[in-house]
Amino acid sequence: KQWYQRRVRGGISLLMVLLVTVFSEYLKNVPVPLPYVSYSRDEGLKYGVTWLRLFSTLSVIISLAIAWILCGILTATGTLGEGDKARIGDMSKSINDATWFYFPYPGQFGRPVVNVGGFVGFLAAILAGAIESIGDYFACAKLAGAPPPPKYALNRGILLEGVGCFLAGVCGPGLGVTSYSENIGAIGLTKVGSRRVILCSAILMLVMGMIGKIGVLFASIPSPIIGGMYMVMFGIVTAVGISNLRFVDLTSSRNVFIIGVSMYFGVVVPMWSGKIMSDPEAAKSIQTGNEEFDQLVRVICTSGMIVGAAIACFLDNTIPGTSKERGLTSYKFTAQSCADKELLKKVYHEPVIEFLAGRLPILRKLPFVPSKADF
């Protein structure tokens, strides 16, 4: 029975991958007819059919809906038993128990408590998240067709992530607010990178997050469907990251050694750490007795991003190599060719910060505010 359930879960995940691939790649240029009705004073009432490329922009939503409906059918027919991860449980009780509207507020779970172990653990997680976010910013700019983000834009992004983490901690969820690589993969699939779309999506998420019954509905999405989306979207993000290696000399044995070792350790060390930490007896063999230090090491070793980045950074800066071999020459040339000040101002201009900096020039000394030389 367990073998059968694993096959069903795997099949649903592979179906999700297949649907996203077909809709986003094979059918992205296929127009779909949709009726429309419009009215204007000059032309009056108009109606007709317009052709839109829905598969390109809605590939993820269409695939999610199909896989979700399939899981519902398999659940209703009894194909998926109790406890199966692909099963959609009875949501009637959860929906009835959930409130219609809920607004988070500071201190709703009591007075915040701070301890050294928790602080050290979250500090390591924040550092790992900041390193990952910088890579996400560059990947997002590349997929959206924007120039590489300047330093002040990177600092501004990390600052806002810190503000989000602070608000999350004050309100009590205990979740870090950071960039999400899957959303960058969604940009690559849907080809939609408009800031207006992202802003409207953010407002919609804020509203939906305060409606408890909608949250219960989205929580019923089976994990095999989410896993199938991850396989595609994280694959796109990985490919974008690997594409940055085009600047380095891949015929150099030095660079091949650094890339191979850092990627291998970034995959193996978190797997080994997770296996050791899941076994209490095995975990005792690597504990030092200092709870704060052990927690710091645990967070770092379970993050493949920070392990691989740290090893690659160390090896690249200690193993001898020329600037051309390391890719610094090609990258600087590309960055300078994209450093159009008017384009950077159009893409990364933040009106509120610019307004305050115009009134208080001293603010331009801050790392997240563009200096006069930038514009």
Side-chain angles (χ1 to χ4, degrees):
K1 184 178 180 180
Q2 293 180 353
W3 174 80
Y4 173 75
Q5 290 178 348
R6 286 195 298 268
R7 289 189 61 182
V8 173
R9 292 196 296 267
I12 292 174
S13 296
L14 291 178
L15 174 65
M16 188 67 191
V17 174
L18 178 63
L19 291 174
V20 172
T21 303
V22 170
F23 291 145
S24 65
E25 301 301 327
Y26 291 98
L27 301 180
K28 60 182 178 180
N29 295 322
V30 177
V32 178
L34 289 177
Y36 74 90
V37 178
S38 63
Y39 175 80
S40 64
R41 292 183 178 180
D42 298 332
E43 301 179 359
L45 182 65
K46 293 180 59 179
Y47 60 90
V49 176
T50 184
W51 295 80
L52 299 176
R53 296 177 179 178
L54 294 182
F55 293 124
S56 176
T57 57
L58 302 178
S59 58
V60 176
I61 296 178
I62 296 175
S63 303
L64 175 63
I66 295 175
W68 202 355
I69 292 174
L70 176 61
C71 288
I73 295 175
L74 295 177
T75 301
T77 57
T79 305
L80 301 176
E82 292 291 339
D84 195 298
K85 293 182 179 180
R87 178 184 175 87
I88 299 178
D90 186 6
M91 298 181 295
S92 58
K93 185 177 184 304
S94 300
I95 293 178
N96 291 331
D97 294 341
T99 58
W100 272 107
F101 298 100
Y102 177 79
F103 188 80
Y105 57 89
Q108 58 183 320
F109 298 110
R111 181 174 60 88
V113 178
V114 180
N115 58 70
V116 178
F119 172 78
V120 172
F122 274 98
L123 179 61
I126 289 295
L127 292 176
I131 295 174
E132 181 179 359
S133 295
I134 293 175
D136 288 341
Y137 299 158
F138 280 95
C140 183
K142 182 177 177 60
L143 287 176
K151 293 181 180 179
Y152 62 84
L154 298 176
N155 294 330
R156 188 172 65 207
I158 300 300
L159 171 68
L160 292 178
E161 289 189 11
V163 173
C165 291
F166 173 78
L167 294 177
V170 169
C171 293
L175 300 174
V177 179
T178 183
S179 61
Y180 198 37
S181 301
E182 186 185 16
N183 293 334
I184 301 172
I187 294 176
L189 286 175
T190 62
K191 311 300 186 294
V192 177
S194 171
R195 286 175 294 184
R196 294 186 179 91
V197 174
I198 302 301
L199 179 60
C200 293
S201 301
I203 296 174
L204 182 63
M205 291 174 63
L206 287 173
V207 174
M208 293 174 61
M210 292 185 289
I211 303 177
K213 296 186 183 299
I214 294 182
V216 173
L217 178 64
F218 280 103
S220 67
I221 300 178
S223 57
I225 297 179
I226 305 298
M229 286 194 298
Y230 281 0
M231 292 174 66
V232 178
M233 294 183 177
F234 282 124
I236 293 176
V237 176
T238 302
V240 172
I242 294 176
S243 67
N244 291 322
L245 296 176
R246 69 186 185 277
F247 297 109
V248 305
D249 183 8
L250 294 179
T251 62
S252 170
S253 59
R254 170 194 180 274
N255 293 337
V256 172
F257 175 83
I258 294 174
I259 295 171
V261 170
S262 59
M263 291 184 64
Y264 185 78
F265 272 78
V267 174
V268 172
V269 171
M271 294 177 59
W272 174 82
S273 301
K275 185 177 181 180
I276 292 295
M277 298 304 173
S278 61
D279 187 354
E281 293 297 328
K284 292 180 181 179
S285 61
I286 61 173
Q287 291 177 351
T288 62
N290 188 315
E291 182 180 355
E292 290 77 15
F293 180 78
D294 290 340
Q295 189 168 6
L296 175 63
V297 174
R298 185 183 307 115
V299 172
I300 293 177
C301 291
T302 52
S303 174
M305 180 73 68
I306 195 170
V307 171
I311 294 177
C313 182
F314 174 79
L315 294 177
D316 187 51
N317 287 278
T318 55
I319 298 178
T322 63
S323 297
K324 183 178 180 180
E325 188 180 20
R326 298 173 63 188
L328 299 178
T329 304
S330 300
Y331 181 79
K332 288 180 180 179
F333 177 78
T334 304
Q336 290 175 358
S337 62
C338 297
D340 186 349
K341 292 186 178 181
E342 289 299 323
L343 180 60
L344 291 176
K345 183 177 180 179
K346 181 180 179 180
V347 175
Y348 297 106
H349 178 75
E350 211 297 311
V352 176
I353 293 180
E354 279 299 307
F355 174 79
L356 296 176
R359 299 296 185 273
L360 298 173
I362 194 173
L363 294 178
R364 297 197 181 275
K365 300 293 184 181
L366 297 175
F368 57 88
V369 179
S371 61
K372 290 185 178 180
D374 293 324
F375 291 150

PDB file of all heavy atoms in Angstrom, residues 173-203:
ATOM      1  N   PRO A 173       4.525  35.636  14.405  1.00  0.00           N
ATOM      2  CA  PRO A 173       4.630  34.402  13.618  1.00  0.00           C
ATOM      3  C   PRO A 173       5.957  33.676  13.793  1.00  0.00           C
ATOM      4  O   PRO A 173       6.021  32.462  13.667  1.00  0.00           O
ATOM      5  CB  PRO A 173       4.458  34.893  12.167  1.00  0.00           C
ATOM      6  CG  PRO A 173       3.825  36.224  12.278  1.00  0.00           C
ATOM      7  CD  PRO A 173       4.307  36.810  13.556  1.00  0.00           C
ATOM      8  N   GLY A 174       7.033  34.420  14.042  1.00  0.00           N
ATOM      9  CA  GLY A 174       8.341  33.791  14.185  1.00  0.00           C
ATOM     10  C   GLY A 174       8.911  33.306  12.872  1.00  0.00           C
ATOM     11  O   GLY A 174       9.730  32.384  12.847  1.00  0.00           O
ATOM     12  N   LEU A 175       8.493  33.897  11.757  1.00  0.00           N
ATOM     13  CA  LEU A 175       8.969  33.496  10.431  1.00  0.00           C
ATOM     14  C   LEU A 175       9.812  34.608   9.835  1.00  0.00           C
ATOM     15  O   LEU A 175       9.465  35.789   9.931  1.00  0.00           O
ATOM     16  CB  LEU A 175       7.786  33.195   9.494  1.00  0.00           C
ATOM     17  CG  LEU A 175       6.844  32.074   9.945  1.00  0.00           C
ATOM     18  CD1 LEU A 175       5.663  31.987   9.000  1.00  0.00           C
ATOM     19  CD2 LEU A 175       7.566  30.744  10.000  1.00  0.00           C
ATOM     20  N   GLY A 176      10.926  34.227   9.224  1.00  0.00           N
ATOM     21  CA  GLY A 176      11.765  35.217   8.578  1.00  0.00           C
ATOM     22  C   GLY A 176      11.161  35.677   7.257  1.00  0.00           C
ATOM     23  O   GLY A 176      10.580  34.887   6.519  1.00  0.00           O
ATOM     24  N   VAL A 177      11.257  36.956   6.986  1.00  0.00           N
ATOM     25  CA  VAL A 177      10.751  37.528   5.738  1.00  0.00           C
ATOM     26  C   VAL A 177      11.938  37.740   4.811  1.00  0.00           C
ATOM     27  O   VAL A 177      12.813  38.559   5.088  1.00  0.00           O
ATOM     28  CB  VAL A 177      10.017  38.854   5.984  1.00  0.00           C
ATOM     29  CG1 VAL A 177       9.524  39.453   4.674  1.00  0.00           C
ATOM     30  CG2 VAL A 177       8.849  38.638   6.939  1.00  0.00           C
ATOM     31  N   THR A 178      11.986  37.014   3.744  1.00  0.00           N
ATOM     32  CA  THR A 178      13.109  37.103   2.820  1.00  0.00           C
ATOM     33  C   THR A 178      12.626  36.830   1.407  1.00  0.00           C
ATOM     34  O   THR A 178      11.447  36.489   1.196  1.00  0.00           O
ATOM     35  CB  THR A 178      14.210  36.097   3.201  1.00  0.00           C
ATOM     36  OG1 THR A 178      15.330  36.257   2.333  1.00  0.00           O
ATOM     37  CG2 THR A 178      13.700  34.672   3.123  1.00  0.00           C
ATOM     38  N   SER A 179      13.504  37.029   0.436  1.00  0.00           N
ATOM     39  CA  SER A 179      13.132  36.766  -0.946  1.00  0.00           C
ATOM     40  C   SER A 179      12.896  35.271  -1.151  1.00  0.00           C
ATOM     41  O   SER A 179      13.505  34.435  -0.493  1.00  0.00           O
ATOM     42  CB  SER A 179      14.229  37.263  -1.894  1.00  0.00           C
ATOM     43  OG  SER A 179      15.445  36.594  -1.629  1.00  0.00           O
ATOM     44  N   TYR A 180      11.996  34.971  -2.072  1.00  0.00           N
ATOM     45  CA  TYR A 180      11.604  33.587  -2.308  1.00  0.00           C
ATOM     46  C   TYR A 180      11.992  33.209  -3.728  1.00  0.00           C
ATOM     47  O   TYR A 180      11.482  33.773  -4.698  1.00  0.00           O
ATOM     48  CB  TYR A 180      10.097  33.436  -2.092  1.00  0.00           C
ATOM     49  CG  TYR A 180       9.630  32.021  -1.892  1.00  0.00           C
ATOM     50  CD1 TYR A 180      10.404  31.119  -1.178  1.00  0.00           C
ATOM     51  CD2 TYR A 180       8.423  31.589  -2.398  1.00  0.00           C
ATOM     52  CE1 TYR A 180       9.983  29.824  -0.980  1.00  0.00           C
ATOM     53  CE2 TYR A 180       7.984  30.297  -2.208  1.00  0.00           C
ATOM     54  CZ  TYR A 180       8.770  29.413  -1.497  1.00  0.00           C
ATOM     55  OH  TYR A 180       8.351  28.126  -1.306  1.00  0.00           O
ATOM     56  N   SER A 181      12.901  32.267  -3.846  1.00  0.00           N
ATOM     57  CA  SER A 181      13.434  31.915  -5.162  1.00  0.00           C
ATOM     58  C   SER A 181      12.361  31.390  -6.095  1.00  0.00           C
ATOM     59  O   SER A 181      12.464  31.545  -7.324  1.00  0.00           O
ATOM     60  CB  SER A 181      14.545  30.873  -5.009  1.00  0.00           C
ATOM     61  OG  SER A 181      15.590  31.360  -4.198  1.00  0.00           O
ATOM     62  N   GLU A 182      11.318  30.765  -5.562  1.00  0.00           N
ATOM     63  CA  GLU A 182      10.268  30.223  -6.420  1.00  0.00           C
ATOM     64  C   GLU A 182       9.564  31.336  -7.195  1.00  0.00           C
ATOM     65  O   GLU A 182       9.158  31.140  -8.343  1.00  0.00           O
ATOM     66  CB  GLU A 182       9.246  29.452  -5.591  1.00  0.00           C
ATOM     67  CG  GLU A 182       8.203  28.744  -6.458  1.00  0.00           C
ATOM     68  CD  GLU A 182       7.131  28.099  -5.620  1.00  0.00           C
ATOM     69  OE1 GLU A 182       7.035  28.439  -4.439  1.00  0.00           O
ATOM     70  OE2 GLU A 182       6.377  27.266  -6.155  1.00  0.00           O
ATOM     71  N   ASN A 183       9.426  32.517  -6.586  1.00  0.00           N
ATOM     72  CA  ASN A 183       8.782  33.620  -7.293  1.00  0.00           C
ATOM     73  C   ASN A 183       9.610  34.077  -8.492  1.00  0.00           C
ATOM     74  O   ASN A 183       9.067  34.522  -9.508  1.00  0.00           O
ATOM     75  CB  ASN A 183       8.568  34.797  -6.341  1.00  0.00           C
ATOM     76  CG  ASN A 183       7.548  34.473  -5.262  1.00  0.00           C
ATOM     77  OD1 ASN A 183       6.677  33.639  -5.464  1.00  0.00           O
ATOM     78  ND2 ASN A 183       7.662  35.106  -4.123  1.00  0.00           N
ATOM     79  N   ILE A 184      10.938  33.983  -8.375  1.00  0.00           N
ATOM     80  CA  ILE A 184      11.796  34.322  -9.502  1.00  0.00           C
ATOM     81  C   ILE A 184      11.609  33.299 -10.618  1.00  0.00           C
ATOM     82  O   ILE A 184      11.591  33.640 -11.804  1.00  0.00           O
ATOM     83  CB  ILE A 184      13.258  34.391  -9.049  1.00  0.00           C
ATOM     84  CG1 ILE A 184      13.410  35.432  -7.945  1.00  0.00           C
ATOM     85  CG2 ILE A 184      14.184  34.707 -10.215  1.00  0.00           C
ATOM     86  CD1 ILE A 184      14.758  35.452  -7.305  1.00  0.00           C
ATOM     87  N   GLY A 185      11.460  32.043 -10.236  1.00  0.00           N
ATOM     88  CA  GLY A 185      11.155  31.021 -11.234  1.00  0.00           C
ATOM     89  C   GLY A 185       9.822  31.276 -11.924  1.00  0.00           C
ATOM     90  O   GLY A 185       9.669  31.014 -13.116  1.00  0.00           O
ATOM     91  N   ALA A 186       8.845  31.820 -11.161  1.00  0.00           N
ATOM     92  CA  ALA A 186       7.546  32.155 -11.760  1.00  0.00           C
ATOM     93  C   ALA A 186       7.693  33.245 -12.812  1.00  0.00           C
ATOM     94  O   ALA A 186       6.989  33.246 -13.827  1.00  0.00           O
ATOM     95  CB  ALA A 186       6.571  32.595 -10.670  1.00  0.00           C
ATOM     96  N   ILE A 187       8.615  34.195 -12.598  1.00  0.00           N
ATOM     97  CA  ILE A 187       8.865  35.233 -13.594  1.00  0.00           C
ATOM     98  C   ILE A 187       9.422  34.605 -14.871  1.00  0.00           C
ATOM     99  O   ILE A 187       9.050  34.980 -15.986  1.00  0.00           O
ATOM    100  CB  ILE A 187       9.833  36.291 -13.042  1.00  0.00           C
ATOM    101  CG1 ILE A 187       9.181  37.060 -11.892  1.00  0.00           C
ATOM    102  CG2 ILE A 187      10.267  37.258 -14.138  1.00  0.00           C
ATOM    103  CD1 ILE A 187      10.102  38.058 -11.238  1.00  0.00           C
ATOM    104  N   GLY A 188      10.313  33.644 -14.703  1.00  0.00           N
ATOM    105  CA  GLY A 188      10.872  32.972 -15.870  1.00  0.00           C
ATOM    106  C   GLY A 188       9.831  32.173 -16.641  1.00  0.00           C
ATOM    107  O   GLY A 188       9.901  32.073 -17.870  1.00  0.00           O
ATOM    108  N   LEU A 189       8.844  31.604 -15.938  1.00  0.00           N
ATOM    109  CA  LEU A 189       7.818  30.804 -16.609  1.00  0.00           C
ATOM    110  C   LEU A 189       6.754  31.670 -17.273  1.00  0.00           C
ATOM    111  O   LEU A 189       6.365  31.436 -18.411  1.00  0.00           O
ATOM    112  CB  LEU A 189       7.156  29.861 -15.597  1.00  0.00           C
ATOM    113  CG  LEU A 189       7.966  28.653 -15.143  1.00  0.00           C
ATOM    114  CD1 LEU A 189       7.218  27.896 -14.062  1.00  0.00           C
ATOM    115  CD2 LEU A 189       8.261  27.718 -16.308  1.00  0.00           C
ATOM    116  N   THR A 190       6.256  32.667 -16.541  1.00  0.00           N
ATOM    117  CA  THR A 190       5.141  33.470 -17.035  1.00  0.00           C
ATOM    118  C   THR A 190       5.580  34.643 -17.898  1.00  0.00           C
ATOM    119  O   THR A 190       4.754  35.251 -18.585  1.00  0.00           O
ATOM    120  CB  THR A 190       4.324  34.016 -15.852  1.00  0.00           C
ATOM    121  OG1 THR A 190       5.162  34.872 -15.049  1.00  0.00           O
ATOM    122  CG2 THR A 190       3.817  32.877 -14.988  1.00  0.00           C
ATOM    123  N   LYS A 191       6.882  34.985 -17.853  1.00  0.00           N
ATOM    124  CA  LYS A 191       7.417  36.143 -18.595  1.00  0.00           C
ATOM    125  C   LYS A 191       6.768  37.449 -18.136  1.00  0.00           C
ATOM    126  O   LYS A 191       6.713  38.426 -18.895  1.00  0.00           O
ATOM    127  CB  LYS A 191       7.215  35.966 -20.106  1.00  0.00           C
ATOM    128  CG  LYS A 191       7.669  34.628 -20.665  1.00  0.00           C
ATOM    129  CD  LYS A 191       9.140  34.393 -20.437  1.00  0.00           C
ATOM    130  CE  LYS A 191       9.609  33.120 -21.143  1.00  0.00           C
ATOM    131  NZ  LYS A 191       9.004  31.893 -20.582  1.00  0.00           N
ATOM    132  N   VAL A 192       6.270  37.480 -16.905  1.00  0.00           N
ATOM    133  CA  VAL A 192       5.645  38.680 -16.348  1.00  0.00           C
ATOM    134  C   VAL A 192       6.550  39.216 -15.250  1.00  0.00           C
ATOM    135  O   VAL A 192       6.713  38.584 -14.203  1.00  0.00           O
ATOM    136  CB  VAL A 192       4.241  38.385 -15.777  1.00  0.00           C
ATOM    137  CG1 VAL A 192       3.645  39.637 -15.144  1.00  0.00           C
ATOM    138  CG2 VAL A 192       3.327  37.868 -16.881  1.00  0.00           C
ATOM    139  N   GLY A 193       7.168  40.380 -15.500  1.00  0.00           N
ATOM    140  CA  GLY A 193       8.052  40.978 -14.508  1.00  0.00           C
ATOM    141  C   GLY A 193       7.689  42.411 -14.192  1.00  0.00           C
ATOM    142  O   GLY A 193       8.515  43.159 -13.670  1.00  0.00           O
ATOM    143  N   SER A 194       6.455  42.804 -14.485  1.00  0.00           N
ATOM    144  CA  SER A 194       6.014  44.175 -14.246  1.00  0.00           C
ATOM    145  C   SER A 194       5.902  44.444 -12.756  1.00  0.00           C
ATOM    146  O   SER A 194       5.342  43.636 -11.996  1.00  0.00           O
ATOM    147  CB  SER A 194       4.664  44.421 -14.923  1.00  0.00           C
ATOM    148  OG  SER A 194       4.134  45.665 -14.538  1.00  0.00           O
ATOM    149  N   ARG A 195       6.398  45.605 -12.324  1.00  0.00           N
ATOM    150  CA  ARG A 195       6.285  45.965 -10.917  1.00  0.00           C
ATOM    151  C   ARG A 195       4.842  46.246 -10.523  1.00  0.00           C
ATOM    152  O   ARG A 195       4.475  46.070  -9.367  1.00  0.00           O
ATOM    153  CB  ARG A 195       7.169  47.178 -10.627  1.00  0.00           C
ATOM    154  CG  ARG A 195       8.651  46.852 -10.593  1.00  0.00           C
ATOM    155  CD  ARG A 195       9.496  48.086 -10.423  1.00  0.00           C
ATOM    156  NE  ARG A 195       9.401  48.967 -11.582  1.00  0.00           N
ATOM    157  CZ  ARG A 195      10.115  50.084 -11.708  1.00  0.00           C
ATOM    158  NH1 ARG A 195      10.947  50.443 -10.756  1.00  0.00           N
ATOM    159  NH2 ARG A 195       9.987  50.837 -12.785  1.00  0.00           N
ATOM    160  N   ARG A 196       4.033  46.700 -11.470  1.00  0.00           N
ATOM    161  CA  ARG A 196       2.616  46.914 -11.159  1.00  0.00           C
ATOM    162  C   ARG A 196       1.923  45.597 -10.837  1.00  0.00           C
ATOM    163  O   ARG A 196       1.084  45.534  -9.921  1.00  0.00           O
ATOM    164  CB  ARG A 196       1.934  47.606 -12.349  1.00  0.00           C
ATOM    165  CG  ARG A 196       2.420  49.034 -12.613  1.00  0.00           C
ATOM    166  CD  ARG A 196       1.591  49.680 -13.717  1.00  0.00           C
ATOM    167  NE  ARG A 196       2.029  51.050 -13.972  1.00  0.00           N
ATOM    168  CZ  ARG A 196       2.952  51.380 -14.855  1.00  0.00           C
ATOM    169  NH1 ARG A 196       3.552  50.435 -15.578  1.00  0.00           N
ATOM    170  NH2 ARG A 196       3.286  52.649 -15.035  1.00  0.00           N
ATOM    171  N   VAL A 197       2.272  44.556 -11.572  1.00  0.00           N
ATOM    172  CA  VAL A 197       1.691  43.239 -11.290  1.00  0.00           C
ATOM    173  C   VAL A 197       2.129  42.751  -9.913  1.00  0.00           C
ATOM    174  O   VAL A 197       1.324  42.218  -9.132  1.00  0.00           O
ATOM    175  CB  VAL A 197       2.101  42.237 -12.381  1.00  0.00           C
ATOM    176  CG1 VAL A 197       1.620  40.828 -12.031  1.00  0.00           C
ATOM    177  CG2 VAL A 197       1.549  42.662 -13.731  1.00  0.00           C
ATOM    178  N   ILE A 198       3.417  42.933  -9.589  1.00  0.00           N
ATOM    179  CA  ILE A 198       3.919  42.506  -8.282  1.00  0.00           C
ATOM    180  C   ILE A 198       3.253  43.297  -7.166  1.00  0.00           C
ATOM    181  O   ILE A 198       2.893  42.747  -6.099  1.00  0.00           O
ATOM    182  CB  ILE A 198       5.449  42.683  -8.225  1.00  0.00           C
ATOM    183  CG1 ILE A 198       6.126  41.886  -9.340  1.00  0.00           C
ATOM    184  CG2 ILE A 198       5.983  42.259  -6.868  1.00  0.00           C
ATOM    185  CD1 ILE A 198       5.854  40.405  -9.305  1.00  0.00           C
ATOM    186  N   LEU A 199       3.053  44.602  -7.383  1.00  0.00           N
ATOM    187  CA  LEU A 199       2.404  45.437  -6.366  1.00  0.00           C
ATOM    188  C   LEU A 199       0.960  44.998  -6.145  1.00  0.00           C
ATOM    189  O   LEU A 199       0.512  44.864  -4.991  1.00  0.00           O
ATOM    190  CB  LEU A 199       2.456  46.899  -6.797  1.00  0.00           C
ATOM    191  CG  LEU A 199       1.805  47.912  -5.847  1.00  0.00           C
ATOM    192  CD1 LEU A 199       2.475  47.880  -4.484  1.00  0.00           C
ATOM    193  CD2 LEU A 199       1.859  49.322  -6.439  1.00  0.00           C
ATOM    194  N   CYS A 200       0.228  44.761  -7.229  1.00  0.00           N
ATOM    195  CA  CYS A 200      -1.153  44.292  -7.086  1.00  0.00           C
ATOM    196  C   CYS A 200      -1.198  42.928  -6.409  1.00  0.00           C
ATOM    197  O   CYS A 200      -2.094  42.660  -5.581  1.00  0.00           O
ATOM    198  CB  CYS A 200      -1.820  44.230  -8.462  1.00  0.00           C
ATOM    199  SG  CYS A 200      -2.069  45.841  -9.251  1.00  0.00           S
ATOM    200  N   SER A 201      -0.252  42.059  -6.740  1.00  0.00           N
ATOM    201  CA  SER A 201      -0.201  40.736  -6.105  1.00  0.00           C
ATOM    202  C   SER A 201       0.073  40.861  -4.606  1.00  0.00           C
ATOM    203  O   SER A 201      -0.511  40.133  -3.793  1.00  0.00           O
ATOM    204  CB  SER A 201       0.877  39.881  -6.764  1.00  0.00           C
ATOM    205  OG  SER A 201       0.628  39.726  -8.141  1.00  0.00           O
ATOM    206  N   ALA A 202       0.957  41.794  -4.232  1.00  0.00           N
ATOM    207  CA  ALA A 202       1.267  41.993  -2.816  1.00  0.00           C
ATOM    208  C   ALA A 202       0.038  42.482  -2.056  1.00  0.00           C
ATOM    209  O   ALA A 202      -0.251  42.008  -0.943  1.00  0.00           O
ATOM    210  CB  ALA A 202       2.414  42.985  -2.674  1.00  0.00           C
ATOM    211  N   ILE A 203      -0.701  43.428  -2.641  1.00  0.00           N
ATOM    212  CA  ILE A 203      -1.920  43.914  -1.987  1.00  0.00           C
ATOM    213  C   ILE A 203      -2.946  42.795  -1.857  1.00  0.00           C
ATOM    214  O   ILE A 203      -3.603  42.636  -0.813  1.00  0.00           O
ATOM    215  CB  ILE A 203      -2.500  45.098  -2.784  1.00  0.00           C
ATOM    216  CG1 ILE A 203      -1.521  46.282  -2.758  1.00  0.00           C
ATOM    217  CG2 ILE A 203      -3.852  45.523  -2.219  1.00  0.00           C
ATOM    218  CD1 ILE A 203      -1.942  47.446  -3.623  1.00  0.00           C
TER     219      ILE A 203
END
